[in-house]
PDB file of all heavy atoms in Angstrom:
ATOM      1  N   ALA A 222     -33.979 -31.234-311.266  1.00 98.00           N
ATOM      2  CA  ALA A 222     -33.251 -30.268-310.415  1.00 98.00           C
ATOM      3  C   ALA A 222     -34.176 -29.227-309.812  1.00 98.00           C
ATOM      4  O   ALA A 222     -33.857 -28.630-308.767  1.00 98.00           O
ATOM      5  CB  ALA A 222     -32.169 -29.579-311.233  1.00 98.00           C
ATOM      6  N   THR A 223     -35.326 -29.025-310.453  1.00 98.00           N
ATOM      7  CA  THR A 223     -36.232 -27.990-309.933  1.00 98.00           C
ATOM      8  C   THR A 223     -36.866 -28.387-308.593  1.00 98.00           C
ATOM      9  O   THR A 223     -37.535 -27.580-307.951  1.00 98.00           O
ATOM     10  CB  THR A 223     -37.363 -27.690-310.952  1.00 98.00           C
ATOM     11  OG1 THR A 223     -37.937 -28.936-311.345  1.00 98.00           O
ATOM     12  CG2 THR A 223     -36.821 -26.968-312.167  1.00 98.00           C
ATOM     13  N   THR A 224     -36.655 -29.633-308.155  1.00 98.00           N
ATOM     14  CA  THR A 224     -37.155 -30.026-306.819  1.00 98.00           C
ATOM     15  C   THR A 224     -36.179 -29.594-305.717  1.00 98.00           C
ATOM     16  O   THR A 224     -36.400 -29.896-304.543  1.00 98.00           O
ATOM     17  CB  THR A 224     -37.387 -31.550-306.729  1.00 98.00           C
ATOM     18  OG1 THR A 224     -36.122 -32.232-306.905  1.00 98.00           O
ATOM     19  CG2 THR A 224     -38.373 -32.046-307.772  1.00 98.00           C
ATOM     20  N   LEU A 225     -35.120 -28.896-306.072  1.00 98.00           N
ATOM     21  CA  LEU A 225     -34.131 -28.450-305.082  1.00 98.00           C
ATOM     22  C   LEU A 225     -34.793 -27.522-304.049  1.00 98.00           C
ATOM     23  O   LEU A 225     -35.526 -26.603-304.407  1.00 98.00           O
ATOM     24  CB  LEU A 225     -32.985 -27.703-305.779  1.00 98.00           C
ATOM     25  CG  LEU A 225     -31.869 -27.237-304.850  1.00 98.00           C
ATOM     26  CD1 LEU A 225     -30.997 -28.412-304.414  1.00 98.00           C
ATOM     27  CD2 LEU A 225     -31.001 -26.154-305.520  1.00 98.00           C
ATOM     28  N   ARG A 226     -34.502 -27.783-302.790  1.00 98.00           N
ATOM     29  CA  ARG A 226     -35.053 -26.924-301.725  1.00 98.00           C
ATOM     30  C   ARG A 226     -34.133 -26.990-300.521  1.00 98.00           C
ATOM     31  O   ARG A 226     -33.273 -27.881-300.430  1.00 98.00           O
ATOM     32  CB  ARG A 226     -36.484 -27.358-301.348  1.00 98.00           C
ATOM     33  CG  ARG A 226     -36.567 -28.825-300.933  1.00 98.00           C
ATOM     34  CD  ARG A 226     -37.976 -29.386-301.100  1.00 98.00           C
ATOM     35  NE  ARG A 226     -38.019 -30.802-300.653  1.00 98.00           N
ATOM     36  CZ  ARG A 226     -37.746 -31.834-301.449  1.00 98.00           C
ATOM     37  NH1 ARG A 226     -37.389 -31.661-302.698  1.00 98.00           N
ATOM     38  NH2 ARG A 226     -37.823 -33.079-300.979  1.00 98.00           N
ATOM     39  N   ARG A 227     -34.334 -26.069-299.603  1.00 97.00           N
ATOM     40  CA  ARG A 227     -33.547 -26.025-298.371  1.00 97.00           C
ATOM     41  C   ARG A 227     -33.994 -27.111-297.395  1.00 97.00           C
ATOM     42  O   ARG A 227     -35.199 -27.426-297.334  1.00 97.00           O
ATOM     43  CB  ARG A 227     -33.742 -24.675-297.675  1.00 97.00           C
ATOM     44  CG  ARG A 227     -33.005 -23.529-298.349  1.00 97.00           C
ATOM     45  CD  ARG A 227     -31.553 -23.595-298.028  1.00 97.00           C
ATOM     46  NE  ARG A 227     -30.827 -22.393-298.432  1.00 97.00           N
ATOM     47  CZ  ARG A 227     -29.513 -22.325-298.439  1.00 97.00           C
ATOM     48  NH1 ARG A 227     -28.767 -23.355-298.083  1.00 97.00           N
ATOM     49  NH2 ARG A 227     -28.918 -21.225-298.798  1.00 97.00           N
ATOM     50  N   THR A 228     -33.061 -27.648-296.625  1.00 96.00           N
ATOM     51  CA  THR A 228     -33.441 -28.503-295.496  1.00 96.00           C
ATOM     52  C   THR A 228     -33.628 -27.589-294.282  1.00 96.00           C
ATOM     53  O   THR A 228     -33.215 -26.425-294.291  1.00 96.00           O
ATOM     54  CB  THR A 228     -32.334 -29.505-295.152  1.00 96.00           C
ATOM     55  OG1 THR A 228     -31.158 -28.769-294.790  1.00 96.00           O
ATOM     56  CG2 THR A 228     -32.008 -30.418-296.322  1.00 96.00           C
ATOM     57  N   ASP A 229     -34.236 -28.131-293.238  1.00 94.00           N
ATOM     58  CA  ASP A 229     -34.445 -27.328-292.030  1.00 94.00           C
ATOM     59  C   ASP A 229     -33.117 -26.893-291.425  1.00 94.00           C
ATOM     60  O   ASP A 229     -33.032 -25.865-290.773  1.00 94.00           O
ATOM     61  CB  ASP A 229     -35.238 -28.146-290.982  1.00 94.00           C
ATOM     62  CG  ASP A 229     -36.660 -28.410-291.464  1.00 94.00           C
ATOM     63  OD1 ASP A 229     -37.089 -27.666-292.377  1.00 94.00           O
ATOM     64  OD2 ASP A 229     -37.295 -29.355-290.963  1.00 94.00           O
ATOM     65  N   GLU A 230     -32.058 -27.684-291.685  1.00 93.00           N
ATOM     66  CA  GLU A 230     -30.736 -27.361-291.098  1.00 93.00           C
ATOM     67  C   GLU A 230     -29.965 -26.371-291.973  1.00 93.00           C
ATOM     68  O   GLU A 230     -28.790 -26.082-291.694  1.00 93.00           O
ATOM     69  CB  GLU A 230     -29.886 -28.623-290.945  1.00 93.00           C
ATOM     70  CG  GLU A 230     -30.433 -29.685-289.988  1.00 93.00           C
ATOM     71  CD  GLU A 230     -31.555 -30.529-290.639  1.00 93.00           C
ATOM     72  OE1 GLU A 230     -31.456 -30.846-291.830  1.00 93.00           O
ATOM     73  OE2 GLU A 230     -32.544 -30.826-289.920  1.00 93.00           O
ATOM     74  N   GLY A 231     -30.557 -25.870-293.064  1.00 93.00           N
ATOM     75  CA  GLY A 231     -29.861 -24.899-293.910  1.00 93.00           C
ATOM     76  C   GLY A 231     -29.039 -25.524-294.999  1.00 93.00           C
ATOM     77  O   GLY A 231     -28.278 -24.846-295.692  1.00 93.00           O
ATOM     78  N   GLY A 232     -29.160 -26.869-295.171  1.00 97.00           N
ATOM     79  CA  GLY A 232     -28.486 -27.517-296.298  1.00 97.00           C
ATOM     80  C   GLY A 232     -29.427 -27.558-297.496  1.00 97.00           C
ATOM     81  O   GLY A 232     -30.322 -26.716-297.633  1.00 97.00           O
ATOM     82  N   TRP A 233     -29.232 -28.581-298.332  1.00 98.00           N
ATOM     83  CA  TRP A 233     -30.022 -28.703-299.566  1.00 98.00           C
ATOM     84  C   TRP A 233     -30.580 -30.104-299.696  1.00 98.00           C
ATOM     85  O   TRP A 233     -29.950 -31.071-299.257  1.00 98.00           O
ATOM     86  CB  TRP A 233     -29.138 -28.439-300.789  1.00 98.00           C
ATOM     87  CG  TRP A 233     -28.580 -27.064-300.817  1.00 98.00           C
ATOM     88  CD1 TRP A 233     -27.335 -26.687-300.409  1.00 98.00           C
ATOM     89  CD2 TRP A 233     -29.253 -25.872-301.211  1.00 98.00           C
ATOM     90  NE1 TRP A 233     -27.189 -25.328-300.567  1.00 98.00           N
ATOM     91  CE2 TRP A 233     -28.345 -24.806-301.042  1.00 98.00           C
ATOM     92  CE3 TRP A 233     -30.544 -25.585-301.699  1.00 98.00           C
ATOM     93  CZ2 TRP A 233     -28.675 -23.488-301.349  1.00 98.00           C
ATOM     94  CZ3 TRP A 233     -30.866 -24.276-302.016  1.00 98.00           C
ATOM     95  CH2 TRP A 233     -29.938 -23.239-301.837  1.00 98.00           C
ATOM     96  N   GLN A 234     -31.738 -30.220-300.344  1.00 98.00           N
ATOM     97  CA  GLN A 234     -32.227 -31.537-300.704  1.00 98.00           C
ATOM     98  C   GLN A 234     -32.920 -31.494-302.051  1.00 98.00           C
ATOM     99  O   GLN A 234     -33.426 -30.460-302.487  1.00 98.00           O
ATOM    100  CB  GLN A 234     -33.127 -32.129-299.625  1.00 98.00           C
ATOM    101  CG  GLN A 234     -34.371 -31.351-299.310  1.00 98.00           C
ATOM    102  CD  GLN A 234     -35.119 -31.968-298.116  1.00 98.00           C
ATOM    103  OE1 GLN A 234     -34.607 -32.859-297.439  1.00 98.00           O
ATOM    104  NE2 GLN A 234     -36.320 -31.479-297.879  1.00 98.00           N
ATOM    105  N   VAL A 235     -32.888 -32.651-302.716  1.00 98.00           N
ATOM    106  CA  VAL A 235     -33.486 -32.732-304.046  1.00 98.00           C
ATOM    107  C   VAL A 235     -34.040 -34.149-304.210  1.00 98.00           C
ATOM    108  O   VAL A 235     -33.471 -35.115-303.695  1.00 98.00           O
ATOM    109  CB  VAL A 235     -32.422 -32.383-305.122  1.00 98.00           C
ATOM    110  CG1 VAL A 235     -31.292 -33.389-305.187  1.00 98.00           C
ATOM    111  CG2 VAL A 235     -33.027 -32.176-306.490  1.00 98.00           C
ATOM    112  N   ASP A 236     -35.170 -34.247-304.907  1.00 98.00           N
ATOM    113  CA  ASP A 236     -35.794 -35.562-305.114  1.00 98.00           C
ATOM    114  C   ASP A 236     -35.113 -36.276-306.284  1.00 98.00           C
ATOM    115  O   ASP A 236     -34.645 -35.631-307.223  1.00 98.00           O
ATOM    116  CB  ASP A 236     -37.286 -35.398-305.460  1.00 98.00           C
ATOM    117  CG  ASP A 236     -38.061 -34.765-304.313  1.00 98.00           C
ATOM    118  OD1 ASP A 236     -37.566 -34.816-303.165  1.00 98.00           O
ATOM    119  OD2 ASP A 236     -39.153 -34.215-304.570  1.00 98.00           O
ATOM    120  N   THR A 237     -35.117 -37.598-306.221  1.00 98.00           N
ATOM    121  CA  THR A 237     -34.638 -38.361-307.372  1.00 98.00           C
ATOM    122  C   THR A 237     -35.829 -39.122-307.972  1.00 98.00           C
ATOM    123  O   THR A 237     -36.828 -39.360-307.282  1.00 98.00           O
ATOM    124  CB  THR A 237     -33.569 -39.399-306.961  1.00 98.00           C
ATOM    125  OG1 THR A 237     -34.166 -40.339-306.066  1.00 98.00           O
ATOM    126  CG2 THR A 237     -32.372 -38.754-306.300  1.00 98.00           C
ATOM    127  N   ALA A 238     -35.700 -39.502-309.243  1.00 97.00           N
ATOM    128  CA  ALA A 238     -36.784 -40.259-309.885  1.00 97.00           C
ATOM    129  C   ALA A 238     -36.778 -41.689-309.387  1.00 97.00           C
ATOM    130  O   ALA A 238     -37.792 -42.380-309.453  1.00 97.00           O
ATOM    131  CB  ALA A 238     -36.600 -40.226-311.399  1.00 97.00           C
ATOM    132  N   ASP A 239     -35.610 -42.157-308.902  1.00 85.00           N
ATOM    133  CA  ASP A 239     -35.506 -43.551-308.476  1.00 85.00           C
ATOM    134  C   ASP A 239     -35.738 -43.729-306.969  1.00 85.00           C
ATOM    135  O   ASP A 239     -35.443 -44.778-306.418  1.00 85.00           O
ATOM    136  CB  ASP A 239     -34.154 -44.146-308.905  1.00 85.00           C
ATOM    137  CG  ASP A 239     -32.995 -43.164-308.849  1.00 85.00           C
ATOM    138  OD1 ASP A 239     -33.249 -41.967-308.635  1.00 85.00           O
ATOM    139  OD2 ASP A 239     -31.847 -43.588-308.997  1.00 85.00           O
TER     140      ASP A 239
END
Side-chain angles (χ1 to χ4, degrees):
T223 50
T224 63
L225 183 74
R226 56 203 181 272
R227 285 284 190 191
T228 61
D229 293 341
E230 297 79 38
W233 297 99
Q234 60 186 9
V235 66
D236 297 340
T237 63
D239 36 351

